[in-house]
Amino acid sequence: MAESDAPAPQDPSPSVRARFLRRRRDLGAPAEPVDESLPRGVRLAGAWSWRLLVIGAVIAVAIFLIVQLRLIVVPVLIAVLLAALLVPFKDFLVRHRWPSWLAIVTTLVLLVVVVGGLCYLAIWQVTRQSHELQVQSVAAFEQFRDWLSTGPLGLTPNQIDSAFQSLWSSLQQDSQVYISGALSIGSTVGHVLTGALLTLFSVLFILIDGRSIWGWIVRVFPKSARSAVDGAGRAGWTTLRNFAKVQVLVASIDALGIGLGAFFLGLPLVIPIAVLVFLGSFIPIVGAVITGALAVFIALVFKGWVFALIMLGVVLLVQQIEGHVLQPLIMGTAVKVHPLAVVLAVAAGSLLAGIPGALFAVPFVAVLNVMVHYVSSGAWRDKPPEAMAAPAGAIWEVVPRPLRRP
């Protein structure tokens, strides 16, 4: 009999199926599949659980790789942040008919001159007044010890030494999170120099061939996802550029306000204070506060507690202007991240990665927020990606293209 003439299998009758199920129960087997016997909420929770575990494992592996490659990752991230600030300036010069190579060289020279000049001024003034600061600090410390003994507290020398020892131990333990975080750029001069050179070279190549590098990154993804990746990346890059420009403005205002306050009070080390406040302001909320505390300490050591209180008032006034005027009106429009999210991001970044984590927390959250919002909005569906084809002779291509035969 041909195979096509074979009778189709018949479904068992209800009585046969009932006997089969009864036989399975007698043998101890479940009468129905396990999944069907579970409540729908349990099945849904299980499905979510294993997917979240897989996502968490991927994130953990990514963080582990970042930690292992921290001497490369941190300089590259700094280079991206600097490039977000420098690329518009380079494009501005090119639009005004500067040759591309001259615009890139001018941008890099300006970066080195500004950063190097600020560091040189700060180091020069600290070196010139380091002996005076040391003498004044020792004298202020001895006066404070005498006040603890002869003042209303009436502490004994042993109690004072024990209290200072406990405070110093606590500061050492807490500072390890910030000084030697998981992503610190290195503890030796060689690491710092290597990171600086890697940052400079990364900025150079982003200025030269940033569009082509981004096109190569987009082509790594499947074709169906390239439009979404390209659009999300461009939206994130725009947000990062806005963050960099606005943060420089906010940091300059903080440094100018606190620096002028220290200058009019006649404090030493005005330039180092202003430079530290400028750099610290790139860590939102906490950076300028910590660096402003240094100005208060210098005022206390050199001028007394009255000048220290005045300097504290200046720092708090600048912080109030930043928190209630600059951040809501300028930073909030550029970054579009809720202040609570900023605080939590900075806290999480500092705990995970120390100072670099606190520095990159807010731009990371801002860029991620914009990219996720762009992808979820679906605006990329009708827009073809703009950076698909790499230009001939891209500088990072090391594999030669095959020669065409005539």
Side-chain angles (χ1 to χ4, degrees), residues 5 12-13 32-33 42 75 78 94 124 129 159-160 165 223 237 239 242-243 284 299 317 332 341 355 364 374 398-399:
D5 298 334
S13 62
E32 58 183 356
V42 175
I78 295 175
V94 172
W124 170 72
Q129 298 181 341
Q159 291 175 332
I160 296 174
Q165 184 64 34
K223 288 185 178 180
W237 176 252
T239 299
N242 294 335
F243 170 81
L317 177 62
I355 294 177
F364 175 78
Y374 179 86
V398 295
V399 180

Side-chain angles (χ1 to χ4, degrees), residues 67 74 177-184 347-359:
V67 171
V74 173
V177 177
Y178 302 98
I179 297 176
S180 58
L183 296 180
S184 59
S350 61
L351 290 176
L352 291 175
I355 294 177
L359 174 63

